[in-house]
């Protein structure tokens, strides 16, 4: 049902936790399945220096959260913004059709964290 990559990211998730005083935080949820994801960003000079996540949900939700953090670490904000729901699922070697909504949450949480980061930057200026 799940690819080896999905199982690896589920059983050995990367970048789990919180960042103290994050530059951006994004939280999204899916009422239908009960998954909730929160992504924390540490940004330096428009580059994502560190990223962490906390996810309450199924194995696919944990795996997509883990994968999206790996995909954006070291990237600029602009590069991270183009990461799509499909790209997250593709990076994991695919997800079962019933679990595709989980990859949507990972990209959405990332984009929400970037939006939060940008709003905080505007307030500083």
């Amino acid at each position: 049902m799940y690819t080896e990559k999905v199982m690896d990211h589920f059983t050995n998730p990367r970048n789990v936790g919180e960042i103290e005083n994050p530059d951006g935080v994004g939280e999204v949820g899916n009422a239908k399945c009960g998954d909730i994801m929160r992504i924390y960003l540490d940004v330096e000079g428009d580059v994502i220096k560190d990223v962490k996540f906390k996810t309450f949900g199924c194995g696919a939700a944990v795996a997509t959260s883990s994968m999206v953090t790996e995909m954006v670490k070291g990237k600029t904000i602009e590069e991270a913004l183009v990461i799509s729901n499909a790209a997250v699922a593709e990076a994991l070697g695919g997800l079962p059709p019933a679990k595709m909504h989980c990859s949507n949450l990972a990209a959405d949480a990332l984009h929400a964290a970037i939006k939060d980061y940008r709003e905080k930057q505007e307030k500083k200026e």
Side-chain angles (χ1 to χ4, degrees):
M1 180 162 140
Y2 289 117
T3 66
E4 272 186 48
K5 243 185 183 172
V6 170
M7 291 307 294
D8 180 41
H9 276 271
F10 169 63
T11 56
N12 304 297
R14 285 69 151 177
N15 306 304
V16 176
E18 288 181 50
I19 293 175
E20 274 191 49
N21 304 310
D23 294 310
V25 180
E27 183 176 319
V28 296
N30 183 321
K32 191 177 2 174
C33 65
D35 293 342
I36 299 170
M37 294 179 183
R38 184 177 289 158
I39 291 191
Y40 303 85
L41 299 176
D42 181 13
V43 182
E44 195 173 283
D46 207 42
V47 173
I48 298 172
K49 183 177 150 196
D50 196 13
V51 56
K52 301 251 186 249
F53 79 91
K54 281 194 163 183
T55 293
F56 177 82
C58 66
V62 172
T64 56
S65 299
S66 173
M67 178 54 82
V68 84
T69 64
E70 289 224 307
M71 292 172 76
V72 300
K73 198 179 263 191
K75 294 215 178 330
T76 66
I77 291 296
E78 291 304 317
E79 290 169 329
L81 269 175
V82 300
I83 292 175
S84 67
N85 305 329
V88 176
E90 189 178 309
L92 286 166
L95 289 169
K99 293 296 181 178
M100 279 303 290
H101 64 276
C102 299
S103 69
N104 295 348
L105 285 180
D108 291 347
L110 169 65
H111 295 155
I114 291 170
K115 181 179 184 223
D116 182 54
Y117 163 72
R118 285 187 160 166
E119 287 171 356
K120 287 176 179 173
Q121 292 305 300
E122 285 175 14
K123 285 180 184 173
K124 286 181 182 177
E125 291 173 4

